[in-house]
């Protein structure tokens, strides 16, 4: 089948450089792309080149840039390096871009991913001028067949004044059938989302668009630039072990069954270790209602342990992305990709009673969680979908090594220097030293549990802070605000949260 | 009609003191009661007396105590004064109880109200031994007709081993028909909640119970102890004016219509001022999908401006509670009381595109909001439903006077000393100086908006902090953690956040 099966759109094929000319300075540009998959692969470089040329001639050129979530060096990276972005949302994880944001060269607003599309539709970020969306194929009616992710594509295409499509022949045509495209209607009169089980399909396999808005079609053949996972290290294995203990205990307390555990999982090496652990567990018919499909889920599917995985995109290692591409016709029986608004929607998350599982930067002794800003100021990536799942899960969990930078940074601190998940939302926190179950506990009852999962070197320091705070401010949530950030201040001064000689 | 129309339950009538003997030391007791309405009025005093007697004899007596939300002096108050509670959740606002909590004599865990019932069912707080629920009537089949609120009654009655019913003849029998009782089923296979418009009724007007679990029926005739509202002061009027400006601007930007504004509103004098302002506004067919029915909503109904109000309970002044009681047959055409899980459910809140509106203790220059703990340590009331609505609203707003304690405390601070609503959740913050619309803005772009609504005396201090933080830590969210709490520390040292001589 031809990749561009619609005659009108075939007539709009042009080079990426030509298409980039259609995007003026000051435009609000909204693209596909989610965790290294399905992002446009030609336009970003063409836009970056255009920006550099104009900047060299002393002319301004910057765009506001929205995506599904993070993209890749050849999208976020090249645009950041070219200083081509004024304001970026809702999520990124690119090193060059992170540097530009923290140096104040680029505005950035990280938002809950489930809100983005609705807020774009409502004009919170201004009018969308151009949508740039990757597809694996355009069918005869001009519908787009999504590639390796859906993200905010539907709402961006609906909202945009102009559309540029990248048709990527690297993406397998067998991905057709994996996506489940559903539009959440407008209020008043908005209907429910009729997903009652993880695997329910409620929409179409293609995105219908207003073909008259398409101003360019660009052909590409470049692979998704997913990051490889590191081999599972000892600490990750220990954390995974304690997370599995938590799951086993949930079964013991009658809150979970070995059949039909519904998981959400953040991205990374520890989550992959958790999934490796599940391979050898008693859990069967595991289901993912989550944001991204990871290597570990593919392994669980291959092993017959996972019956269905619903997400908005892939976040696979290059090796697994290749395998997915080659065997898409097989995997589409087990995998559904949904619009981000649906994959992360509170309505469905709450309905499914899922157990969320996300990483963190630091948590404090009362269970408040920082997911975004190092030492309160320096943004790492953004909140992403962690709040969507944490806030609406049946049980929310976080996993973290107890220390970073060879022990110089403790993941458990007296007062979190930025708070993205409050004490009302974070329920269970897991490190290599065990899991702290904070459910049903008053703030002071949580403290010994949190200290027990801190690194042993930091436990006396945390205990001393709490004892001191309790003596100073004997109230519901004891704090001495004069000392609350002493770990962070010591880190800034000496390079370590651990006192010298301790 | 007899208030106790079921013969079996008529046979279980006894005094409150007799019924209190059925509640042993260590019991988990879950009751009706929500913002001064529908709480049990006889048992709490009887339990408190029993506790005092036992304590006088050197014997232990304490219970774990769950409700819908806050109650009244003759419920939370008497139990706190008698040291009869070990652990309390999910919300309270009683002065004696607050003191007991902050002095460490009572454990307290404030949770999102929409989560409580589900977490009770799942056993996060242990097994529920006794449910004590007020009803206006028991029908011939033993069903309970709710009085002035529903709260967590359904789930508490379902979960409890034993049930004690208080039948309160002060409550109007005409309240029958106001409640809409609906059970959210269990996962897997849980269904959607079929509420598509604020006024949709989806359940029964009574709560069906397992009559065999009833161990006592107690007759009472005491009024709800709602707090009177203060007359609307000048500052409240100014805040209300700016909130109405915000609504008008939303209409102008096409994000709201004069017909069919769906409101959620926290409780208090400023919210009542907002509702008074709406009386004279262009808004028609106003609808409330909210937690509690307040005086201002009754006025809006009387004026023909509000077409329907859905909540879980009343929070009326004594005068309005009397009027509601007398004219319940009229008001039940406009008012629906629902289980708390439904009134605050993210699924419905998100579906209705409502605008939430809640109070706060303090907000920081980046838009993080503290709703619960003064100076990070001292609990005031609790998070209540503010997170349920803020997190799932189409647009979330907060209203606050810019200063408290005659200017000694600024509501806008460099770093919030406790965070209940993150920068990702709080969208619009209103003081008597205007409204700060934070939507679509990066952290540093939010700062001037927040400073503009601070009290003029505090603006230079906030600006100086931000400038200093930006020079010290020129990153995404500039903070100098050594100075972040300087307002709070100055308050602790000098009694004012304002420097002497400033």
């Amino acid at each position: 089948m031809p990749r561009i099966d619609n005659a009108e759109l075939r007539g709009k094929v042009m080079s990426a450089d030509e298409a980039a000319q259609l995007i003026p300075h000051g435009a609000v540009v909204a693209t596909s792309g989610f965790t290294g998959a399905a992002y446009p692969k030609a336009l970003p470089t063409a836009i970056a080149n255009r920006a550099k040329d104009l900047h060299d001639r002393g002319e301004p050129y910057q765009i506001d840039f929205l995506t599904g979530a993070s993209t890749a060096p050849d999208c976020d990276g090249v645009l950041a390096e070219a200083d081509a972005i004024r304001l970026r949302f809702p999520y990124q994880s690119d090193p060059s871009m992170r540097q530009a944001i923290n140096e104040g060269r680029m505005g950035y607003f990280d938002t809950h991913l489930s809100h983005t599309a609705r807020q774009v539709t409502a004009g919170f970020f201004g009018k969308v001028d151009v949508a740039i969306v990757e597809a694996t194929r355009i069918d005869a009616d001009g519908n787009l067949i999504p590639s390796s992710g859906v993200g905010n594509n539907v709402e961006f295409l609906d909202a945009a004044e102009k559309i540029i499509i990248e048709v990527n022949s690297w993406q397998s045509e067998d991905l057709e059938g994996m996506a489940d495209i559903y539009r959440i209607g407008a209020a008043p009169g908005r209907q429910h989302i009729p997903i009652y089980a993880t695997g329910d399909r409620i929409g179409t396999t293609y995105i219908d668009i207003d073909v008259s808005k398409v101003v360019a079609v660009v052909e590409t053949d470049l692979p998704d630039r997913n990051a490889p996972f590191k081999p599972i290290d000892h600490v990750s294995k220990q954390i995974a072990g304690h997370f599995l203990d938590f799951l086993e205990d949930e079964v013991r307390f009658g809150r979970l069954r070995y059949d039909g555990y519904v998981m959400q999982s953040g991205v990374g090496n520890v989550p992959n270790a958790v999934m490796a652990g599940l391979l050898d567990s008693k859990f069967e018919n595991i289901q993912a209602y989550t944001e991204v499909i990871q290597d570990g889920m593919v392994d669980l599917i291959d092993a017959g342990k996972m019956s269905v995985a619903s997400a908005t995109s892939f976040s696979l290692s290059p090796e697994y992305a290749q395998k997915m591409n080659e065997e898409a016709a097989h995997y589409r029986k087990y995998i559904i990709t949904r619009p981000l608004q649906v994959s992360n929607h509170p309505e469905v998350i709450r309905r499914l009673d899922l157990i969320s599982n996300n990483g963190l930067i630091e948590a404090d002794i009362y269970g408040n969680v920082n997911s975004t800003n190092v030492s309160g100021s320096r943004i790492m990536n953004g909140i992403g979908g962690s709040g969507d799942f944490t806030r609406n899960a049946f049980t929310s969990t976080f996993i973290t090594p107890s220390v970073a930078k060879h022990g110089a940074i403790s993941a458990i601190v007296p007062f979190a220097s930025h708070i993205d998940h409050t004490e009302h939302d974070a329920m269970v926190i897991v490190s290599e030293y065990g899991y702290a179950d904070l459910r049903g506990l008053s703030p002071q009852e949580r403290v010994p549990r949190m200290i027990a999962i801190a690194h042993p070197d930091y436990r006396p320091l945390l205990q001393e802070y709490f004892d001191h705070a309790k003596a100073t401010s004997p109230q519901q949530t004891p704090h001495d605000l004069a000392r609350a950030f002493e770990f962070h201040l010591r880190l800034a001064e000496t390079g370590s949260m651990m006192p010298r000689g301790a």
Side-chain angles (χ1 to χ4, degrees), chain A:
Chain A
M1 236 177 320
R3 291 275 182 157
I4 307 171
D5 204 11
N6 176 282
E8 186 181 343
L9 294 180
R10 247 194 329 266
K12 291 184 178 170
V13 170
M14 63 182 75
S15 73
D17 289 334
E18 288 171 313
Q21 295 301 317
L22 302 171
I23 300 170
H25 169 60
V28 175
V29 177
T31 75
S32 58
F34 204 104
T35 53
Y39 59 92
K41 296 174 182 68
L43 261 293
T45 297
I47 294 169
N49 288 339
R50 190 182 167 195
K52 281 189 276 191
D53 286 350
L54 287 164
H55 296 168
D56 287 347
R57 298 208 299 267
E59 289 177 47
Y61 186 90
Q62 283 195 318
I63 58 174
D64 286 2
F65 191 58
L66 292 84
T67 61
S70 57
T71 64
D74 47 334
C75 182
D76 274 334
V78 292
L79 289 166
E81 281 157 19
D83 270 333
I85 299 180
R86 185 191 74 91
L87 190 58
R88 172 82 173 87
F89 24 83
Y91 184 87
Q92 63 77 36
S93 66
D94 184 82
S96 304
M97 182 165 276
R98 182 182 302 136
Q99 193 180 338
I101 292 166
N102 282 309
E103 288 177 359
R105 289 184 283 116
M106 183 187 309
Y108 176 53
F109 181 27
D110 61 316
T111 66
H112 296 299
L113 297 185
S114 80
H115 288 271
T116 319
R118 175 71 191 96
Q119 295 180 353
V120 163
T121 308
F124 286 16
F125 312 105
K127 180 172 62 72
V128 177
D129 296 300
V130 186
I132 308 173
V133 170
E134 182 183 91
T136 192
R137 196 169 78 81
I138 300 172
D139 76 10
D141 297 322
N143 300 311
L144 306 190
I145 312 303
S147 64
S148 45
V150 179
N152 290 315
N153 293 358
V154 178
E155 298 86 355
F156 285 172
L157 289 160
D158 286 350
E161 298 233 310
K162 295 177 186 172
I163 293 170
I164 297 174
I165 305 165
E166 287 199 4
V167 178
N168 185 350
S169 59
W170 176 83
Q171 300 279 8
S172 168
E173 288 181 271
D174 288 336
L175 289 170
E176 189 164 351
M178 201 175 273
D180 184 52
I181 302 302
Y182 177 83
R183 281 181 177 81
I184 295 172
R190 180 177 292 146
Q191 294 301 297
H192 64 276
I193 300 172
I195 296 174
Y196 304 101
T198 318
D200 285 352
R201 288 187 170 275
I202 61 174
T204 61
T205 55
Y206 54 82
I207 308 175
D208 54 306
I209 61 168
D210 179 350
V211 171
S212 73
K213 296 201 295 188
V214 179
V215 293
V217 176
V218 174
E219 293 175 294
T220 68
D221 61 355
L222 294 166
D224 283 335
R225 281 270 198 99
N226 291 301
F229 288 106
K230 282 179 278 187
I232 297 172
D233 61 18
H234 183 61
V235 169
S236 298
K237 259 190 206 158
Q238 286 178 306
I239 299 169
H242 293 301
F243 182 78
L244 286 163
D245 289 345
F246 155 73
L247 290 182
E248 289 281 348
D249 289 346
E250 287 296 283
V251 173
R252 203 153 51 81
F253 292 123
R255 290 193 286 252
L256 183 65
R257 283 170 301 193
Y258 284 121
D259 179 69
Y261 155 45
V262 182
M263 67 150 61
Q264 175 263 335
S265 174
V267 183
N269 291 292
V270 186
N272 259 340
V274 167
M275 284 181 266
L278 283 167
L279 275 175
D280 301 317
S281 72
K282 291 187 200 157
F283 291 91
E284 299 287 343
N285 180 28
I286 302 169
Q287 301 168 28
Y289 197 84
T290 191
E291 205 170 89
V292 288
I293 304 292
Q294 299 168 62
D295 289 12
M297 294 171 193
V298 176
D299 291 338
L300 286 167
I301 291 169
D302 289 349
K305 298 285 270 186
M306 176 167 278
S307 49
V308 62
S310 161
T312 193
S313 186
F314 297 155
S315 181
L316 300 169
S317 66
E319 181 196 342
Y320 276 67
Q322 187 62 38
K323 174 173 159 176
M324 181 61 61
N325 224 352
E326 284 163 12
E327 301 174 43
H330 168 69
Y331 284 114
R332 72 188 174 203
K333 289 182 276 184
Y334 304 93
I335 292 174
I336 303 175
T337 52
R338 307 185 187 275
L340 177 53
Q341 260 202 102
V342 177
S343 68
N344 287 26
H345 203 290
E347 172 177 337
V348 184
I349 293 169
R350 185 74 81 105
R351 189 176 296 148
L352 295 176
D353 261 8
L354 62 74
I355 297 176
S356 68
N357 184 234
N358 291 286
L360 54 75
I361 289 173
E362 64 188 7
D364 69 27
I365 53 173
Y366 298 111
N368 297 284
V369 171
N370 175 6
S371 296
T372 59
N373 281 262
V374 172
S375 288
S377 292
R378 183 165 168 267
I379 190 90
M380 283 301 290
N381 300 333
I383 191 166
S386 61
D388 295 324
F389 288 97
T390 296
R391 184 67 176 80
N392 296 295
F394 169 52
T395 301
S396 71
T397 71
F398 289 90
I399 46 177
T400 183
S402 68
V403 288
K405 306 268 180 200
H406 308 289
I409 296 177
S410 173
I412 317 299
V413 295
F415 198 114
S417 62
H418 189 92
I419 293 174
D420 299 287
H421 309 290
T422 75
E423 57 163 345
H424 316 286
D425 298 314
M427 298 184 194
V428 177
I429 301 182
V430 190
S431 81
E432 72 272 29
Y433 293 104
Y435 76 84
D437 185 350
L438 310 179
R439 291 174 292 180
L441 300 184
S442 67
Q444 294 187 39
E445 289 176 312
R446 290 173 221 148
V447 175
R449 307 251 181 134
M450 290 302 294
I451 291 178
I453 63 160
H455 190 282
D457 292 349
Y458 282 100
R459 287 180 204 165
L461 296 170
L462 293 164
Q463 187 65 50
E464 192 277 328
Y465 174 80
F466 175 62
D467 293 341
H468 165 79
K470 202 168 167 182
T472 312
S473 179
Q475 301 187 310
Q476 168 76 347
T477 312
H479 268 305
D480 176 3
L481 295 180
R483 287 186 47 186
F485 292 132
E486 62 185 11
F487 278 38
H488 303 87
L489 292 170
R490 201 181 296 131
L491 175 67
E493 283 160 27
T494 70
S496 175
M497 288 184 174
M498 182 62 63
R500 289 215 173 114

